[in-house]
Amino acid sequence: MNAERETAAPEEGERRYDVVVVGGGAAGLSGALTLARARRSVLVIDAGRPRNAPASHIHNYLGREGTAPSQLLVTGREEVTGYGGEIVEGTVVAAERRQDGDFRVTLEAGSAVVARRLLVTTGLVDELPQVPGVAERWGHEVLHCPYCHGWEVRDQPIGILATGPNAVHQALLWRQWSTEVTLFLHTEPKLGDEEYERLAARDIAVVDGRVTALEVTDDRLTGVTVDDGRVIPCRALVVSPRFTARADVLTSLGLGTTELEMAGQVIGGYVASDPSGATELPGVWVAGNVANLMEQVIGAAGAGLRAAAAINADLVAEDTRRAVTARRTPFSARMEP
């Protein structure tokens, strides 16, 4: 970790909060709600770029199954502000530790606020395979998580775009939702005999050649074109994005990212933390996809709650230390200028 940078006292007009939450998704709003209910002053700064914006519904969130992502955020914001939390739209460009131990958080617009603690829930960016049409259909028929979308494309022709050594596992996993699964080898080499046998045993077709385009009819994916001109029927295409944590505010504090490997391939980078979300930099917590690339919405909300509870406990300990010091200080000394 790089050396911490320290800034002087806050400029006039900079508001001070117990906690500033950077990122207003499920993790950030859950953390802010917990802190507001703990009677902490909390500000959520949200850039308005939720990762799941292309998706139409949230799944596997008990009690909120099928809720639109936008509706979850609206409801969450209302709950946070209902307990006195504040929410502003904006992009945080940097954070610095002040000489007194607090953090100065600077927004893109030039304004700044001060926080005793930081909770960063900025999520991640999905870096998609460079195939024409993939980005346009992302979150609709171009998918990556079977638990998020498998039920919605059940019993339909599903294609798996191989871009790494995990492709066979993906194909076998998605076979749970459909008997019509096709593995497109795309940029991957030929498979070994054992892999072909496993796929054949589950009636999964394998197509050689690079995928060159997606066929869309009436705003719906209908097929996948390979480089020999064939069009293979397909109503959903599974891809493996590279998951990159949105960690700019954390790197400005000297925190780096850790690579995550799966089947020998780096699939992304996250910010390391302990089970509560505490990073190696005291006073800074993370929650959601910035800390766990595989986290789903319900898990992100839970992580926000855990981090908020740990932050509140940390603040309680600090408040108590200060109270003890004040109690031990003679009254006359406290009154001196």
Side-chain angles (χ1 to χ4, degrees):
M1 184 179 71
N2 297 330
E4 297 174 17
R5 292 181 294 174
E6 295 186 346
T7 60
E11 298 180 5
E12 185 177 353
E14 291 179 354
R15 294 193 59 184
R16 184 174 185 263
Y17 296 86
D18 287 327
V19 186
V20 166
V21 180
V22 185
L29 291 176
S30 177
L33 177 62
T34 303
L35 289 161
R37 283 176 50 83
R39 309 187 74 177
R40 294 293 180 185
S41 59
V42 57
L43 172 68
V44 179
I45 305 173
D46 183 39
R49 298 192 298 271
R51 178 196 181 200
N52 60 0
S56 55
H57 301 94
I58 293 168
H59 299 291
N60 304 312
Y61 198 137
L62 188 63
R64 294 187 179 276
E65 172 63 26
T67 301
S70 59
Q71 183 57 52
L72 183 70
L73 298 184
V74 168
T75 302
R77 286 184 169 211
E78 291 174 350
E79 291 172 351
V80 170
T81 56
Y83 285 100
E86 299 178 33
I87 300 174
V88 298
E89 293 189 6
T91 300
V92 174
V93 293
E96 298 172 296
R97 186 186 286 280
R98 300 187 332 178
Q99 292 174 352
D100 60 4
D102 288 351
F103 298 91
R104 186 172 188 265
V105 180
T106 304
L107 281 72
E108 190 174 52
S111 60
V113 294
V114 174
R116 295 173 65 189
R117 302 292 186 271
L118 291 180
L119 173 56
V120 179
T121 62
T122 42
L124 60 80
V125 175
D126 297 288
E127 298 179 14
L128 301 172
Q130 296 299 305
V131 174
V134 163
E136 291 78 6
R137 307 310 301 179
W138 174 241
H140 299 285
E141 303 93 11
V142 174
L143 315 167
H144 83 282
C145 172
Y147 302 104
C148 302
H149 305 288
W151 176 265
E152 282 63 44
V153 297
R154 65 193 185 281
D155 299 328
Q156 299 181 44
I158 299 173
I160 312 296
L161 184 69
T163 54
N166 202 40
V168 171
H169 168 73
Q170 279 187 303
L172 292 169
L173 188 62
W174 280 84
R175 176 63 175 77
Q176 178 66 23
W177 282 268
S178 175
T179 59
E180 299 180 74
V181 175
T182 300
L183 175 60
F184 295 93
L185 289 183
H186 191 50
T187 59
E188 291 303 292
K190 294 244 182 220
L191 304 175
D193 292 342
E194 182 181 348
E195 291 175 310
Y196 275 117
E197 182 180 30
R198 292 165 64 201
L199 293 169
R202 294 290 281 159
D203 297 319
I204 296 172
V206 179
V207 174
D208 295 326
R210 182 180 290 267
V211 171
T212 58
L214 305 188
E215 298 294 318
V216 178
T217 304
D218 295 329
D219 196 32
R220 185 71 169 82
L221 178 68
T222 56
V224 170
T225 302
V226 291
D227 52 11
D228 62 4
R230 288 178 295 163
V231 177
I232 311 299
C234 184
R235 301 305 297 267
L237 182 66
V238 177
V239 301
S240 296
R242 181 184 173 93
F243 307 118
T244 302
R246 290 189 177 116
D248 289 351
V249 65
L250 295 163
T251 56
S252 73
L253 286 163
L255 286 167
T257 57
T258 300
E259 290 185 341
L260 178 65
E261 287 191 11
M262 186 175 292
Q265 179 184 28
V266 175
I267 65 170
Y270 65 96
V271 177
S273 66
D274 74 6
S276 77
T279 69
E280 63 182 58
L281 180 60
V284 180
W285 274 257
V286 289
N289 286 134
V290 71
N292 184 341
L293 301 179
M294 301 294 105
E295 198 74 274
Q296 296 191 33
V297 178
I298 190 170
L305 167 61
R306 288 192 298 275
I311 291 170
N312 184 60
D314 192 46
L315 288 170
V316 166
E318 182 179 279
D319 293 339
T320 303
R321 288 193 299 270
R322 290 178 176 178
V324 169
T325 300
R327 188 174 188 273
R328 291 174 176 174
T329 303
F331 180 77
S332 57
R334 280 182 271 167
M335 295 300 292
E336 291 178 1

